[in-house]
């Protein structure tokens, strides 16, 4: 059997998934395009792959992200159209936020609907992603002036499944401050083994518990069943977090951003924070998201500026990738936050990135769009306390105590953050938990007409 993997936008979580599948599954062929100019990839990548995907009689399954217009590729390459076609939605264009309503391009959502119609299996990375897409089809098709197609949701829904994005969690214990490691050892049975840590009763890797939600799965199909009342796997008997740290002024002389080389970002958070007892230093807030409007950096920075106005001491690390257009709020916030900034900018080194998350106390999302949230789950894995909107995918994966409804609530949570962060449960989103489900999905019997 041979699996053909196609990714027109080979970057971020799209790249992460394809690399993982290629590494873990045998006999895969991966065809990609760079993660640039997304709109053009969505419009034209099928024509490119028509010419570049090698012909092979060994292909049995085609697995592609929904950036690809699968209907076009299946028509242009009849040999590929005969394969079992699996379409994976990292995001959907029917619920994707736009800056102005009139800017929404009908073609992107229309392409995804066509792709679903020709796919054999349609997989979403969350129930929120799936339901927001399916329930928007009817309204979306009303944009057509006349002669509208009918019952498309009924045709597509039976093909749909939820299979969470599989995150490969590294061992981050070497980056964790002593108080986080002590918490792991006390709460979830992680034991010190020389300079490293291992957890008992958890196969294959260190796992943290007590925050994230997980869903039941069908072992027969290997696919998750989306349901409105996803069970919460909270660890019983968790001790109350320690009392609030004594707030200290953030020293201006310890700002690593000052004088940094922008071509090679200096990353020395551990050195800066190592001289301060964790109960004495200010709260460390992390924001690990793309610097784009759909992540709503305006709300995040306005909350931090309000904290700054009230002389509440804190540190902030603003991580995440930047693209050609950066919202103006970033330059404004950088000036206002001043010495509160510990780090500002993308960290290409994964070790540096996880080290930053391990030194943070709280991780914030202000997203207007999130269909899964890899960055937040990685941060929870690193021991950060998550605060997320009570919307989008977050109620599906996080219990209510980690959600806020308004920016004012977010501000009050940070203002009154009087408990040390707890450690979160991420095991259900690991490759160890989901790998067999992806293998099941991509190892189905070939169609009889091949």
């Amino acid at each position: 059997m041979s699996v053909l993997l196609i990714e027109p936008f080979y970057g971020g979580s799209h790249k992460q998934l394809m690399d993982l599948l290629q590494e873990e599954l045998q006999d895969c062929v991966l065809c990609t395009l760079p993660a640039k100019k997304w709109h053009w990839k969505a419009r034209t990548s099928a024509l490119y792959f028509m010419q570049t995907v090698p012909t092979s009689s060994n292909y049995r399954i085609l697995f592609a992200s929904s950036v690809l217009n699968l209907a076009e590729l299946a028509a242009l390459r009849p040999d590929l159209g005969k394969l079992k076609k699996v379409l994976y939605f990292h995001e959907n264009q029917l619920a994707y936020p736009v800056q102005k309503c009139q800017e929404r391009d009908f073609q992107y959502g229309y392409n995804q609907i066509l792709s679903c119609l020709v796919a054999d299996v349609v997989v979403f990375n969350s129930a929120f992603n799936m339901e927001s897409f399916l329930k928007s089809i009817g309204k979306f098709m009303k944009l057509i002036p006349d002669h509208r197609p009918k019952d498309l949701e009924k045709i597509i829904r039976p093909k749909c499944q939820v299979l969470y994005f599989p995150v490969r969690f590294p061992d981050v214990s070497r980056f964790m401050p002593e108080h986080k490691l002590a918490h792991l050892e006390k709460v979830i049975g992680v034991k010190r083994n020389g300079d490293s840590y291992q957890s008992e009763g958890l196969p294959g890797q260190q796992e943290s518990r007590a925050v994230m939600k997980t869903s039941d799965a069908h072992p027969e199909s290997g696919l998750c069943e989306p349901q409105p009342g996803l069970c919460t796997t909270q660890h019983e008997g968790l001790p109350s977090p320690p009392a609030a740290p004594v707030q200290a002024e953030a020293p201006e002389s310890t700002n690593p951003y000052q004088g940094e080389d922008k071509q090679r970002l200096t990353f020395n958070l551990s050195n800066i924070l190592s001289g301060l007892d964790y109960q004495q230093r200010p709260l460390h807030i992390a924001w690990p998201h793309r610097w784009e409007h759909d992540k709503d950096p305006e709300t995040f920075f306005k909350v931090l500026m309000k904290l700054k106005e009230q002389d509440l001491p804190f540190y902030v690390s603003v991580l995440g990738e930047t693209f050609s257009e950066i919202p103006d709020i970033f330059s404004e916030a950088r000036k206002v936050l001043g010495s509160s900034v510990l780090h500002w900018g993308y960290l290409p080194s994964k070790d540096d990135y996880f080290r930053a998350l391990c030194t943070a106390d709280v991780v914030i999302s202000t997203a207007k769009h999130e269909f899964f949230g890899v960055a937040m789950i990685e941060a929870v894995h690193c021991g950060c306390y998550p605060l997320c909107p009570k919307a989008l995918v977050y109620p599906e994966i996080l219990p209510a105590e980690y959600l806020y409804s308004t920016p004012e609530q977010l501000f009050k949570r940070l203002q009154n953050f009087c408990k040390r962060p707890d450690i979160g449960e991420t095991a259900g989103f690991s490759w160890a938990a989901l790998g067999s489900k992806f293998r099941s999905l991509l190892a189905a019997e070939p169609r009889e007409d091949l």
Side-chain angles (χ1 to χ4, degrees):
M1 181 201 74
S2 182
V3 179
L4 175 61
L5 305 173
I6 297 181
E7 179 50 70
F9 196 78
Y10 188 57
S13 60
H14 291 236
K15 180 180 186 297
Q16 193 173 335
L17 177 59
M18 289 300 186
D19 289 350
L20 184 57
L21 292 177
Q22 186 179 36
E23 182 178 341
E24 295 289 342
L25 302 176
Q26 295 182 350
D27 199 17
C28 289
V29 175
L30 175 61
C31 299
T32 68
L33 280 168
K36 297 179 180 179
K37 300 187 183 300
W38 176 90
H39 300 85
W40 284 104
K41 299 299 192 300
R43 292 185 183 112
T44 65
S45 61
L47 189 57
Y48 172 83
F49 288 122
M50 177 201 75
Q51 296 182 331
T52 58
V53 171
T55 302
S56 174
S57 60
N58 293 326
Y59 297 146
R60 290 294 179 268
I61 294 174
L62 190 163
F63 181 93
S65 79
S66 61
V67 177
L68 175 70
N69 187 327
L70 187 58
E72 287 183 349
L73 183 62
L76 293 167
R77 283 285 298 270
D79 58 320
L80 302 182
K82 294 178 181 178
L83 305 178
K84 176 185 175 182
K85 297 173 290 298
V86 180
L87 189 68
Y88 192 87
F89 275 76
H90 294 266
E91 57 277 312
N92 78 76
Q93 292 304 308
L94 303 193
Y96 202 95
V98 292
Q99 289 176 294
K100 296 180 180 179
C101 291
Q102 62 266 32
E103 289 182 1
R104 185 180 298 279
D105 190 321
F106 179 84
Q107 195 66 37
Y108 301 133
Y110 182 69
N111 288 354
Q112 289 189 329
I113 292 171
L114 292 181
S115 294
C116 288
L117 290 171
V118 301
D120 298 294
V121 182
V122 182
V123 183
F124 293 83
N125 60 2
S126 68
F128 166 74
N129 193 1
M130 182 178 76
E131 291 300 327
S132 64
F133 178 78
L134 292 173
K135 292 179 179 178
S136 297
I137 291 175
K139 180 180 178 181
F140 182 79
M141 299 308 287
K142 288 181 180 179
L143 294 172
I144 301 174
D146 52 26
H147 298 89
R148 304 182 186 106
K150 299 178 180 179
D151 299 325
L152 295 183
E153 180 186 348
K154 292 181 180 178
I155 297 171
I156 294 172
R157 183 176 285 275
K159 304 179 180 184
C160 296
Q161 302 280 2
V162 172
L163 184 49
Y164 290 120
F165 184 94
V167 182
R168 175 167 281 172
F169 295 113
D171 177 7
V172 295
S173 60
R174 67 192 186 279
F175 303 139
M176 281 193 175
E178 187 64 30
H179 69 278
K180 285 190 178 182
L181 291 173
H183 183 87
L184 281 170
E185 188 169 358
K186 181 178 180 181
V187 175
I188 64 172
V190 174
K191 293 199 172 181
R192 198 183 296 258
N193 180 16
D195 293 330
S196 63
Y197 279 74
Q198 61 185 19
S199 65
E200 295 182 338
L202 292 170
Q205 65 179 48
Q206 173 185 321
E207 303 287 9
S208 51
R209 295 190 182 275
V211 174
M212 306 299 288
K213 285 184 176 182
T214 57
S215 69
D216 293 329
H218 292 299
E220 298 83 8
S221 65
L223 297 172
C224 299
E225 178 185 13
Q227 44 189 318
L230 295 176
C231 63
T232 305
T233 58
Q234 287 188 275
H235 200 73
E236 295 182 0
L238 274 179
S240 297
V246 178
Q247 298 290 356
E249 291 297 328
E252 293 199 21
S253 61
T254 61
N255 184 357
Y257 184 85
Q258 295 171 352
E260 74 180 1
D261 178 1
K262 294 192 177 182
Q263 295 301 113
R264 184 181 178 88
L265 290 169
T266 301
F267 189 80
N268 56 348
L269 296 190
S270 297
N271 293 337
I272 291 167
L273 299 177
S274 62
L276 295 172
D277 184 271
Y278 84 96
Q279 291 187 332
Q280 300 296 322
R281 64 177 174 81
L283 191 70
H284 182 187
I285 301 167
W287 195 80
H289 310 287
R290 286 183 286 103
W291 293 23
E292 293 187 304
H293 78 93
D294 62 294
K295 299 303 181 183
D296 196 8
E298 289 81 5
T299 292
F300 174 71
F301 287 124
K302 285 177 182 177
V303 168
L304 292 197
M305 290 175 188
K306 192 173 179 181
L307 293 174
K308 190 80 172 177
E309 288 173 3
Q310 298 195 7
D311 293 324
L312 294 170
F314 63 90
Y315 285 130
V316 61
S317 291
V318 180
L319 311 172
E321 291 187 81
T322 60
F323 297 91
S324 57
E325 295 184 10
I326 299 176
D328 294 339
I329 188 65
F330 283 91
S331 58
E332 177 188 348
R334 178 66 192 91
K335 295 175 183 177
V336 173
L337 296 177
S339 61
S340 295
V341 174
L342 269 185
H343 181 76
W344 193 268
Y346 177 63
L347 289 169
S349 164
K350 271 293 187 180
D351 278 359
D352 285 347
Y353 176 69
F354 285 118
R355 186 181 289 110
L357 293 179
C358 285
T359 60
D361 301 306
V362 182
V363 61
I364 306 295
S365 171
T366 47
K368 296 177 180 177
H369 142 255
E370 195 61 80
F371 294 114
F372 184 68
V374 174
M376 294 299 292
I377 289 176
E378 288 177 335
V380 171
H381 176 70
C382 292
C384 295
Y385 186 102
L387 288 174
C388 305
K390 191 176 181 180
L392 310 171
V393 72
Y394 296 120
E396 183 179 343
I397 63 174
L398 286 167
E401 57 263 37
Y402 303 103
L403 308 177
Y404 63 87
S405 298
T406 64
E408 290 73 24
Q409 287 184 4
L410 173 60
F411 170 76
K412 289 178 181 178
R413 291 292 297 273
L414 291 174
Q415 183 184 41
N416 302 317
F417 206 89
C418 59
K419 296 179 180 180
R420 299 309 303 173
D422 261 331
I423 301 299
E425 162 65 47
T426 56
F429 305 106
S430 68
W431 174 257
L434 295 170
S436 62
K437 301 173 185 179
F438 274 90
R439 286 191 175 94
S440 175
L441 178 69
L442 299 178
E445 290 297 319
R447 285 168 36 169
E448 294 181 358
D449 58 350
L450 285 180

